[in-house]
Amino acid sequence: MALSARPQPRQRGLETAEKVRKAALRLFAASGYAAVSMRDIATQVGVQPGALYNHFPTKQHILKDLMLSHMADLLTAWDTADFPDGTDPIERFVRFHIRYHLERADEVFIAYMELRSLDAENFAFVEAERRRYETILTEILSEGAASGRYHIDNAKVTTRAIIAMLTGIPAWYRPGGDLSKEEIETLYLNMVRKSIAAETKNNPGNPDTGDRMA
Amino acid sequence: MALSARPQPRQRGLETAEKVRKAALRLFAASGYAAVSMRDIATQVGVQPGALYNHFPTKQHILKDLMLSHMADLLTAWDTADFPDGTDPIERFVRFHIRYHLERADEVFIAYMELRSLDAENFAFVEAERRRYETILTEILSEGAASGRYHIDNAKVTTRAIIAMLTGIPAWYRPGGDLSKEEIETLYLNMVRKSIAAETKNNPGNPDTGDRMA
DNA sequence: ACCATATTAATGAACGTTCATTCATTTAGC
DNA sequence: GCTAAATGAATGAACGTTCATTAATATGGT
């Protein structure tokens, strides 16, 4: 069988496939996967509904494309993030996480909210990627605890607590609001640092307070 | 206009309206409002779709009912929560929040995820209720900071950070998992206490670390 | 440089299905 | 027999997807 030359994409302006991704991203983030129709997406792209199927075989494939590329981007961005020498690992992680999640708010929102709209195979894959990301922080915490710089009762739980705290920021942050991104980073970094601090005058040794609710 | 006697509901077993609420709650939490059909709800209730309209005028009204009663329940539960004398306010809030959110995971999940599925009026109402709830914690933090027991840079941001941290628990907690609810409460209470502690040996005075990302 | 051809993408109409909702009628308790 | 609730069938609209056709582009031969 002879090899046939691959024809180039037409590439006038933004490719339609990319427009579809952008439109779907915005619409899914605003209204949710199930509430967005292929007609809605087509309208945003400026094309008839049938044309979408030249680029994605189903609506589900659009969602899968957005979520898988988001997870890959997140992990790649961490691997290639550049910080000044001497920046400690916690600061790196906190600043990176906040910046990435504020810059890619729609992607992050969809990756969290639409997990249940993914079919089983892709769901499992995205969850595994998320665990890889969480493990980055867990290892930072574990190493800091082993060296005595931090006091951490449970590195996995602390990981989830910190990530949940940071991931909540895009839900209320608005550009032009009271706080700049830099101020937010500083506030959260301080809270995170304190929450894992080796010792606290108010809380020497983290006494187990037990369960005293009536 | 004469007052007519209110006929009693038939009350054989669970009322249908209550069954509808329970079924919708479970289905909305599992699949999302937009992905659940009135037929799905009717099937769960064990009734024909048309029968639902004897109890709720539209699908949107079912969601509104669930969300408004959840917010009312949350605030009432806080007002009537009973703790031993001497339990400090932070401990009260952290334990209350965790317990309520683990016991009513579906309601909490829907109240967060389906805000965007509410029409404008009900959206505004739920948001206002949410702010009322957040204010409870903000005032605890502000008073503690004013008295010197806590060091807090920004009470509103700290409120959101703590609530996001705690609200993340139901996303991973599973009964019978590694940690009991009591252990989880203790872990999170310790982290919260440290994060608002007046002083930390590692972090004297919360130095502003500035912005040093490349 | 040019035409013929192969290839890609868009159209516009249609497919069958499912949606929320309505309603005349039947059923069952007071 | 009155009243509230359930049925079962129907409504029109919207859904994801398909497809024959048309338009537009790049490639290969000359």
Side-chain angles (χ1 to χ4, degrees):
Chain A
M1 200 187 302
L3 273 183
S4 60
R6 271 291 201 78
Q8 310 277 75
R10 238 171 290 189
Q11 190 74 21
R12 60 169 193 295
L14 205 59
E15 277 187 73
T16 303
E18 192 51 34
K19 283 194 191 172
V20 172
R21 265 184 285 268
K22 281 208 155 64
L25 178 71
R26 195 149 25 97
L27 291 169
F28 289 168
S31 313
Y33 174 77
V36 172
S37 69
M38 293 298 267
R39 285 167 178 82
D40 292 335
I41 299 171
T43 300
Q44 283 293 306
V45 174
V47 97
Q48 294 298 318
L52 302 177
Y53 291 84
N54 288 321
H55 307 282
F56 296 91
T58 68
K59 183 185 170 190
Q60 172 78 205
H61 280 79
I62 303 178
L63 179 64
K64 166 189 152 181
D65 181 286
L66 291 174
M67 296 192 64
L68 295 197
S69 57
H70 163 64
M71 293 311 296
D73 285 356
L74 174 67
L75 287 159
T76 300
W78 169 258
D79 285 337
T80 62
D82 194 20
F83 290 89
D85 290 350
T87 310
D88 79 83
I90 283 291
E91 178 169 352
R92 286 174 196 256
F93 188 90
V94 169
R95 291 194 187 277
F96 169 81
H97 189 92
I98 294 176
R99 285 171 202 187
Y100 193 93
H101 281 63
L102 286 181
E103 271 162 24
R104 314 281 273 269
D106 282 349
E107 287 90 338
V108 165
F109 191 66
I110 289 174
Y112 173 64
M113 300 278 278
E114 302 300 349
L115 256 183
R116 63 181 174 197
S117 304
L118 274 187
D119 55 43
E121 181 192 358
N122 294 316
F123 177 92
F125 181 81
V126 172
E127 283 257 289
E129 294 279 273
R130 190 188 305 278
R131 270 194 297 276
R132 280 186 56 201
Y133 183 69
E134 290 186 1
T135 301
I136 295 166
L137 178 56
T138 304
E139 284 175 358
I140 293 172
L141 295 175
S142 298
E143 284 165 22
S147 76
R149 284 177 294 132
Y150 312 143
H151 177 94
I152 284 150
D153 287 325
N154 183 315
K156 285 196 175 178
V157 170
T158 305
T159 295
R160 292 177 185 131
I162 292 173
I163 288 182
M165 190 170 118
L166 302 179
T167 303
I169 299 174
W172 56 264
Y173 170 78
R174 294 293 172 269
D178 288 345
L179 294 168
S180 70
K181 293 184 184 183
E182 288 71 24
E183 289 169 322
I184 291 171
E185 283 181 29
T186 301
L187 285 171
Y188 275 79
L189 180 57
N190 284 338
M191 281 189 280
V192 169
R193 280 218 171 103
K194 287 173 72 178
S195 71
I196 61 174
E199 288 178 39
T200 307
K201 283 190 181 166
N202 270 12
N203 239 23
N206 276 330
D208 184 334
T209 53
D211 185 355
R212 305 199 239 108
M213 195 177 190
Chain B
M1 201 185 301
L3 275 182
S4 60
R6 271 292 200 75
Q8 311 276 76
R10 238 172 288 185
Q11 191 74 21
R12 57 170 193 297
L14 206 59
E15 276 188 74
T16 303
E18 192 53 32
K19 282 195 193 169
V20 171
R21 265 184 286 267
K22 281 210 154 64
L25 177 71
R26 194 149 24 100
L27 291 169
F28 289 168
S31 313
Y33 174 78
V36 172
S37 70
M38 292 298 268
R39 284 168 179 79
D40 293 333
I41 299 172
T43 300
Q44 284 294 308
V45 174
V47 97
Q48 294 299 316
L52 302 178
Y53 291 85
N54 289 321
H55 305 283
F56 295 91
T58 68
K59 183 184 170 191
Q60 172 78 207
H61 280 79
I62 302 178
L63 179 64
K64 166 187 152 181
D65 181 286
L66 291 175
M67 296 192 63
L68 296 197
S69 57
H70 163 65
M71 293 312 296
D73 284 356
L74 175 67
L75 287 158
T76 300
W78 169 258
D79 285 337
T80 62
D82 195 20
F83 289 88
D85 289 350
T87 311
D88 79 83
I90 282 292
E91 179 170 351
R92 285 174 196 255
F93 188 89
V94 169
R95 291 193 187 278
F96 168 80
H97 190 92
I98 294 176
R99 285 171 201 188
Y100 192 92
H101 281 62
L102 285 181
E103 271 162 23
R104 314 281 272 270
D106 283 349
E107 287 91 337
V108 165
F109 191 66
I110 289 175
Y112 173 65
M113 300 278 279
E114 302 300 349
L115 256 184
R116 62 183 174 193
S117 304
L118 273 187
D119 56 43
E121 182 192 358
N122 294 315
F123 177 92
F125 181 80
V126 172
E127 284 257 289
E129 294 279 273
R130 191 187 305 278
R131 268 193 299 276
R132 279 184 57 202
Y133 182 69
E134 289 186 1
T135 302
I136 294 166
L137 179 55
T138 305
E139 285 175 358
I140 292 172
L141 295 175
S142 297
E143 283 165 22
S147 76
R149 283 177 294 131
Y150 312 142
H151 176 93
I152 284 150
D153 287 326
N154 184 314
K156 284 196 176 177
V157 169
T158 305
T159 294
R160 293 179 184 128
I162 292 173
I163 287 182
M165 191 170 116
L166 302 180
T167 303
I169 299 174
W172 56 263
Y173 170 79
R174 294 292 172 270
D178 287 345
L179 294 167
S180 69
K181 293 185 183 183
E182 289 70 25
E183 288 168 323
I184 291 171
E185 284 181 27
T186 301
L187 285 170
Y188 275 79
L189 181 57
N190 284 338
M191 281 189 280
V192 169
R193 280 218 170 102
K194 287 173 72 177
S195 71
I196 60 175
E199 288 178 40
T200 305
K201 281 189 183 168
N202 270 12
N203 238 23
N206 276 329
D208 184 333
T209 53
D211 183 356
R212 305 199 241 107
M213 193 178 190

